[in-house]
Amino acid sequence: MSDATDPWLIVGLGNPGPEYAANRHNVGFMVADLLATRIGGKFKRAQKAQAQVVEGRMGPPGPLSRRVVLVKPMSYMNLSGGPVTALRDFYKVPTDHVVAVHDELDIDYGTLRLKLGGGDNGHNGLKSMTKAMGPDYHRVRFGIGRPPGRMQVADFVLKDFSSAERKELAYLVDRAADAVESLVADGLERAQSAYNS
């Protein structure tokens, strides 16, 4: 069982490379980038895994601040589990202190849902993480909605947000970052009551 002194591993899921940077599937990277800015860090290549990491502290200064490691796996989405597990082991993070921030098809655009454990709902990043370390990690699910008409899911998630969606995107990414900070500082139940919509 984890305790308050254990670090948190916050994983933004996405695909590396400029061609993917603004895709719906990369909203986890967007949230991780904002969190890195908030804790005053810059992503660097991890020594121990195919990933970029930032180490820092989150929350109010003093004894209530929490040690965090922000992670962007550089292995492509469907191989995220390997780098995440390597870093979890290296930093000695209990699995229930791992948070995956990811896009979610079954929730309307911009809606957030926080939970602990559960299935992968066809999300290849979660599938890879669950296969590598079991399902008992936190998820911050960022709703992207379903593809319109007959568009294939794979095409939809690898497209950039629409111009209408982009009008709200910065605000929604900011809110998702707030939700991660609340989860780390206040625990799941309080974060859920504040951010689950």
Side-chain angles (χ1 to χ4, degrees):
M1 211 34 213
S2 53
D3 70 35
T5 61
D6 286 319
W8 286 79
L9 197 72
I10 298 164
V11 182
L13 289 176
N15 286 308
E19 68 273 32
Y20 298 109
N23 288 179
R24 292 182 176 93
H25 224 17
N26 270 43
V27 75
F29 274 18
M30 297 173 197
V31 175
D33 286 336
L34 178 57
L35 288 167
T37 303
R38 288 185 181 186
I39 66 171
K42 277 197 168 28
F43 277 100
K44 298 183 185 70
R45 226 182 67 198
Q47 298 299 311
K48 304 291 174 190
Q50 195 181 355
Q52 291 184 350
V53 296
V54 178
E55 295 178 56
R57 299 194 80 82
M58 198 174 267
L64 291 177
S65 83
R66 301 281 178 256
R67 190 167 153 240
V68 295
V69 182
L70 304 176
V71 180
K72 294 196 298 186
M74 292 287 123
S75 56
Y76 291 98
M77 183 70 86
N78 55 0
L79 299 171
S80 301
V84 172
T85 305
L87 291 166
R88 179 201 64 174
D89 295 348
F90 176 71
Y91 288 105
K92 300 181 171 54
V93 177
T95 301
D96 69 350
H97 272 210
V98 175
V99 182
V101 184
H102 64 92
D103 57 305
E104 177 65 66
L105 286 159
D106 283 341
I107 304 174
D108 289 340
Y109 174 64
T111 301
L112 292 177
R113 297 268 166 77
L114 286 72
K115 69 175 191 171
L116 174 62
D120 57 56
N121 213 12
H123 192 289
N124 288 332
L126 296 181
K127 201 174 285 184
S128 178
M129 283 179 62
T130 297
K131 189 174 175 196
M133 62 183 184
D136 299 326
Y137 54 91
H138 286 89
R139 296 100 192 276
V140 174
R141 303 154 74 204
F142 186 108
I144 61 168
R146 282 258 156 210
R150 296 189 175 175
M151 187 189 287
Q152 294 295 313
V153 164
D155 295 334
F156 178 69
V157 299
L158 293 175
K159 278 205 173 359
D160 291 358
F161 286 99
S162 70
S163 55
E165 288 169 335
R166 282 199 298 271
K167 288 189 174 81
E168 285 185 286
L169 186 59
Y171 164 75
L172 296 169
V173 167
D174 195 62
R175 191 163 179 272
D178 291 346
V180 172
E181 290 184 343
S182 174
L183 172 60
V184 169
D186 308 323
L188 179 62
E189 281 184 26
R190 286 178 65 182
Q192 282 176 324
S193 64
Y195 292 96
N196 277 16
S197 37

